Amino acid sequence: MIVRLMGEGQYEIDKKHLDAVNKIDNNIVKIVNNQDEKAVEAAFKSEYKKLIDHVRKNGKKIPDEIIKPSDIIIPPADLTLEEARKIFTGEGLIPE
Amino acid sequence: MGLIDRISTTVKAKINKILNKFEDPRETLDYSYEKQLELLQNVKRGVAEVTTAKKRLELQKIKLEQNVQKLDEQARGALKAGREDLARIALERKTTSQGEIDNLVKQIADIGKEQEKLVATEKSLSAKIETFRSTKETIKAQYSAAEAQVKITESVSGISEEMSDVGIAVQRAQDKTEDMKARASALDELVESGTLEDVTGGTKDDIDRELSKIKSKSEVDEQLESLKKEMGK
């Protein structure tokens, strides 16, 4: 599987590592939808870091000269909670 | 639906739009290549903007450091002359400037990271564009074959995804740079006013002026004293 860490590049990662990715991803959804601002910010940051670190640790970086579409795209490592919420409200990060 | 699904879906929808734009897939290749060159220009502009913003913050830091030093000297001078009130004002301003310097150090580090990221993005995008260019020519030469179609979809999808990614990176860097610029402008007044002015509504070197008055007064006193001695009075 090819995973893109936005702002960083693509990684080749074995399918067996993807369960963990999905699990963290689901946790993040729960966190972002929570209303308690302060708790959310901290929890989001730590959970999101886990997600990115997992891909970096278990994946193999794909060289710059290779052009391939990814199976999974993960938003930038320094994503803010505000930006994460935008993704959920459908505004997205991607400018038209 | 998770964060990852949402972002992946959005990016893919965008790519499909590009793929469906032309009837002849070869046009898609040319169009995409043109867009890549535009984007690379944008990234280069982004790097230049971030670099300028960083330089400006660094200059402000240097000026503030000079102010701190001068205010410190002024405080000493004032105290020597027995003007504790003036010394206090100078020290207050010194503290404010010192606080701003600490903020600037952090901001300069932040923007430095942004600069590094953009430079890396520029490098990797250039490499990808070069690969795309040669692939494009190969594909065009063999277009009649059905496999060329598959290759076109794959390379255009791949490069479009990269372009979405880079586009966002540039956008975010520009937003951050705007923020920095706004903060730098807000600091300008403090930096330029430097030592004692504005806060008391006085003129530029009101402390210096006060001090020189005291100095000249004490010099006059001294001369007066020695004159008195000379004349044996």
Side-chain angles (χ1 to χ4, degrees), chain B residues 4 10 22 33 48 69 75-76 100 102 106 110 122 132-133 137 139 142 144-145 164 220 224 233:
Chain B
I4 294 174
T10 323
F22 302 98
Y33 184 62
Q69 207 183 346
R76 280 167 203 277
E100 291 302 343
D102 296 344
K106 205 186 149 284
D110 280 351
E122 185 191 331
F132 187 87
R133 195 189 56 78
E137 295 314 317
I139 294 174
Q142 54 173 205
S144 53
S164 292
V220 172
L224 202 62
K233 287 200 173 177

Side-chain angles (χ1 to χ4, degrees), chain A residues 4 7 65 70 73 78 83, chain B residues 7 131 161-162 165 172:
Chain A
R4 172 179 294 275
E65 313 72 51
S70 316
I73 298 170
D78 56 350
E83 285 172 321
Chain B
I7 200 97
T131 305
E161 187 189 304
E162 183 73 24
D165 190 353
R172 293 176 101 228

